Amino acid sequence: MFHKAITFFLTLTAAAALLLCPGCGERTAVFEADGLSISLTGDYREEEQENMTAYYESSRAAVMIQKYSFAEVSGAGLSTDISTVDYAELIIQSGGLDSAVTEEDGVAYFEYVSEVDSVSFSYLACVYKGGDAFWLVQFSSISDIYDEMKSEFLTFAASVVI
């Protein structure tokens, strides 16, 4: 009887901890694309998207991944010896964006807003450098919920492995 009571109490305590701990019960999934892996919550699904190395979508957000090989970068007249911060600044300049690069926990990123079909979307664009390419990983949501999504996006950004 005592054993059953202890087992019941431990099960109840574990269930309560999962309910009271935001995000603790969320499933995670590791997605891989052409040499890059990223951990997202289990509600993301891979979709086909033209001009993207990979594209993942949930009901609230999207993750767009583009790989730029060093051959492509050199072919555009750019040095492959530049840092991720420098590469991010080049993206901002070439896109005519009003943004600044931030580097946090080894990830260079910038934020911007874009209108698509009269809907405002906010983006967190992260730049990574691998052995043979630069990577642009963009996290996007409707601007109305971007502030609540940003910490999740930064967690995803920190999970990227090249």
Side-chain angles (χ1 to χ4, degrees):
M1 177 78 166
F2 179 73
H3 179 66
K4 286 183 180 180
I6 293 293
T7 303
F8 175 76
F9 176 74
L10 290 175
T11 303
L12 187 61
T13 303
L18 285 175
L19 290 174
L20 297 175
C21 178
C24 290
E26 282 188 34
R27 304 171 292 141
T28 59
V30 177
F31 294 91
E32 296 183 7
D34 203 14
L36 177 144
S37 69
I38 185 169
S39 295
L40 305 171
T41 55
D43 57 337
Y44 282 83
R45 299 288 174 250
E46 186 169 7
E47 302 286 337
E48 289 295 319
Q49 188 73 11
E50 194 173 318
N51 299 323
M52 298 284 164
T53 304
Y55 179 83
Y56 308 105
E57 189 173 83
S58 75
S59 61
R60 296 170 42 105
V63 181
M64 297 152 281
I65 299 175
Q66 294 170 288
K67 180 180 182 179
Y68 299 98
S69 72
F70 286 166
E72 291 173 295
V73 173
S74 294
L78 301 172
S79 171
T80 59
D81 292 331
I82 62 174
S83 70
T84 55
V85 171
D86 292 337
Y87 194 77
E89 287 173 353
L90 288 171
I91 294 170
I92 290 169
Q93 288 174 337
S94 67
L97 302 173
D98 182 23
S99 188
V101 179
T102 300
E103 191 169 22
E104 186 175 311
D105 297 326
V107 178
Y109 70 88
F110 58 95
E111 299 170 275
Y112 68 98
V113 176
S114 178
E115 294 282 325
V116 177
D117 297 328
S118 301
V119 178
S120 179
F121 289 89
S122 293
Y123 296 81
L124 177 78
C126 304
V127 176
Y128 303 88
K129 186 176 184 179
D132 65 345
F134 283 101
W135 293 83
L136 177 62
V137 179
Q138 297 185 81
F139 304 92
S140 175
S141 69
I142 294 174
S143 293
D144 292 346
I145 64 168
Y146 178 77
D147 287 340
E148 71 183 75
M149 297 295 295
K150 184 177 176 182
S151 66
E152 186 173 281
F153 291 163
L154 288 170
T155 298
F156 295 159
S159 77
V160 170
V161 176
I162 299 173

